[in-house]
Amino acid sequence: MHSAVFLIEFGAIILALGLLGRFAGRFRFSPIPLYLLAGLAFGEGGLLPLGASEEFVAIGAEIGVILLLLMLGLEYTASDLVSNLKTQYPAGLVDMGLNAVPGAIAALLMGWGPVAAVVLAGVTWISSSGVIAKVLNDLGRLGNRETPVILSILVLEDLAMAVYLPIITALLAGVGWAAGSLTLGIALGAAGLVLFLAVRYGRVISRFVSSDDPEKLLLVVLGLTILVAGIAQQLQVSAAVGAFLVGIALSGEVAEGAHSLLAPLRDLFAAVFFVFFGLHTDPASIPPVLLPALVLAVVTACTKIATGYWAARRAKISVKGRWRAGGALVARGEFSIVIAGLAVTAGIEPSLGPLATAYVLILVIVGPLTARFAQPVAARLSRSRKATVTVSLPPQREPVPATEDSLDGQGTGGRS
């Protein structure tokens, strides 16, 4: 009987996610907010609370995070990351300063303490690579001059997660300064070692994993990823970081083959992850934090636009491209929920989960709109400002026609 209830509940979840995904695809927007709302509906205080399948959903959610980070790592090669670090690190620092600080300040103003401040800083800092990539593709901007600037900022954010996630994992675990420093040292050492091996021996690693049989390739890549993720988590580094580093280490045809094979699995378990996060958020807890979430969303939307504008200006992109770059970076999504999910599991602040849910819901909807309309709105405002300045200028006097007397006076310095 228990297994029958489990199958019914889990089947209903997957069916609902599929229908929501089709609905979002028809109207060409991200399904993430719909998945979060589904989680709210199935969770405690929702319309149809789950019982038997919640534990399985929790495991599926963890696999979803691992696959999200693995696929993200497959998008980049080690040489891409090294090149981005060398050329675009100023944009990464500006991005962190403008977007992490508002989250930290908001947490401190609400009296949540320093650990929650570090967590909320990450929630407001990291843009959604998945949503942004989809929006750029939908808008036909993948070939635009500002797109490499956008992708560089996203790459730097993803790489920063290899350092940030171990830090908050240690903070949430309540370990001391020495243990936290050791954890961070292990994470940095592992990231550095993987980058070194990927640059020097990437072809050898890919050749070892490679297989002409899609089934064997899928099993080897998936097994290796989950194994490394488990070892990383055992070392208090973060399973997500381990998966990300595996993705970086794979390159060439292996990366392309693994990407195509794992994409459906990633989409399935990522959707389960968003539902799982919603399950642990009581819908009744969202209205009290809706106003702070809205204020934080407005502030950090503006700071993201400023980040993209500055980075594109530094790359000598046109004014139109600067606004497009800024508008494209606004969306938050998977990483913000991953970070908040760690805090919710640790139980550091009851209101952090609802705030993060409301915040992501707002910006995952607003993000595609700013990507599409930031540049036209800026251009219209600029034209209106120029028109206002032109109208407000005093009318200039008509030049007086020259006469013989005036010409004589100018030539002789006046009549004698």
Side-chain angles (χ1 to χ4, degrees):
M1 181 66 182
H2 181 79
S3 61
V5 174
F6 160 73
L7 291 174
I8 292 170
E9 287 184 351
F10 192 67
I13 292 173
I14 300 301
L15 177 60
L17 293 178
L19 295 175
L20 291 173
R22 288 176 61 180
F23 178 81
R26 178 169 297 179
F27 293 95
R28 300 180 67 182
F29 67 89
S30 171
I32 291 176
L34 299 182
Y35 295 157
L36 288 172
L37 291 174
L40 293 174
F42 287 123
E44 295 182 9
L47 300 175
L48 298 168
L50 295 180
S53 62
E54 187 167 350
E55 185 177 351
F56 186 82
V57 171
I59 297 172
E62 194 161 357
I63 294 174
V65 174
I66 290 171
L67 290 179
L68 276 171
L69 271 293
L70 169 65
M71 299 291 280
L72 205 57
L74 290 174
E75 296 288 342
Y76 312 121
T77 64
S79 57
D80 289 337
L81 292 176
V82 172
S83 174
N84 273 292
L85 278 174
K86 289 180 178 178
T87 59
Q88 298 293 340
Y89 73 90
L93 293 175
V94 169
D95 180 34
M96 181 177 66
L98 288 180
N99 298 287
V101 171
I105 292 174
L108 294 175
L109 289 176
M110 288 185 285
W112 289 357
V115 176
V118 175
V119 173
L120 194 56
V123 171
T124 59
W125 173 16
I126 306 299
S127 297
S128 171
S129 301
V131 174
I132 291 170
K134 185 176 185 341
V135 169
L136 291 176
N137 182 62
D138 290 344
L139 296 177
R141 294 183 184 173
L142 293 178
N144 283 20
R145 285 195 62 205
E146 74 275 3
T147 299
V149 175
I150 298 170
L151 296 179
S152 294
I153 292 174
L154 296 177
V155 169
L156 290 171
E157 288 181 351
D158 298 337
L159 189 59
M161 287 295 96
V163 178
Y164 175 81
L165 286 177
I167 291 175
I168 64 167
T169 301
L171 289 174
L172 293 171
V175 300
W177 174 257
S181 300
L182 178 62
T183 299
L184 180 58
I186 292 172
L188 290 175
L193 178 63
V194 169
L195 286 175
F196 173 76
L197 292 176
V199 171
R200 293 291 297 270
Y201 306 107
R203 292 183 179 179
V204 177
I205 296 171
S206 297
R207 197 179 304 125
F208 170 76
V209 175
S210 178
S211 174
D212 293 331
D213 187 343
E215 178 186 351
K216 293 173 184 168
L217 178 62
L218 175 64
L219 291 173
V220 170
V221 172
L222 189 58
L224 178 64
T225 302
I226 295 176
L227 175 64
V228 172
I231 294 172
Q233 188 156 308
Q234 190 69 26
L235 295 172
Q236 297 294 316
V237 171
S238 170
V241 172
F244 181 62
L245 294 176
V246 171
I248 292 172
L250 302 178
S251 60
E253 293 182 1
V254 172
E256 293 177 7
H259 192 284
S260 61
L261 289 171
L262 290 168
L265 278 177
R266 185 267 320 265
D267 294 340
L268 169 62
F269 285 105
V272 171
F273 164 71
F274 289 116
V275 169
F276 176 73
F277 185 82
L279 288 175
H280 285 73
T281 304
D282 186 352
S285 65
I286 291 182
V289 298
L290 195 55
L291 182 58
L294 182 59
V295 172
L296 197 56
V298 171
V299 171
T300 54
C302 293
T303 54
K304 272 294 181 183
I305 291 173
T307 299
Y309 189 97
W310 184 88
R313 181 181 179 183
R314 180 173 175 268
K316 296 180 172 56
I317 306 296
S318 68
V319 174
K320 290 182 178 180
R322 296 171 197 173
W323 285 111
R324 286 195 297 265
L329 287 169
V330 168
R332 308 307 201 272
E334 59 273 12
F335 256 134
S336 298
I337 297 298
V338 168
I339 295 165
L342 293 173
V344 169
T345 303
I348 63 161
E349 175 54 53
S351 298
L352 201 152
L355 177 68
T357 302
Y359 175 80
V360 170
L361 280 171
I362 293 169
L363 287 186
V364 83
I365 294 170
V366 171
L369 298 177
T370 58
R372 181 171 297 185
F373 297 114
Q375 184 267 319
V377 169
R380 180 170 296 181
L381 291 175
S382 179
R383 286 195 298 268
S384 301
R385 193 179 301 113
K386 288 179 181 178
T388 303
V389 171
T390 303
V391 170
S392 62
L393 287 174
Q396 297 188 6
R397 296 175 61 186
E398 292 292 332
V400 179
T403 62
E404 288 187 22
D405 288 343
S406 62
L407 290 173
D408 288 344
Q410 289 177 8
T412 59
R415 292 185 182 272
S416 54

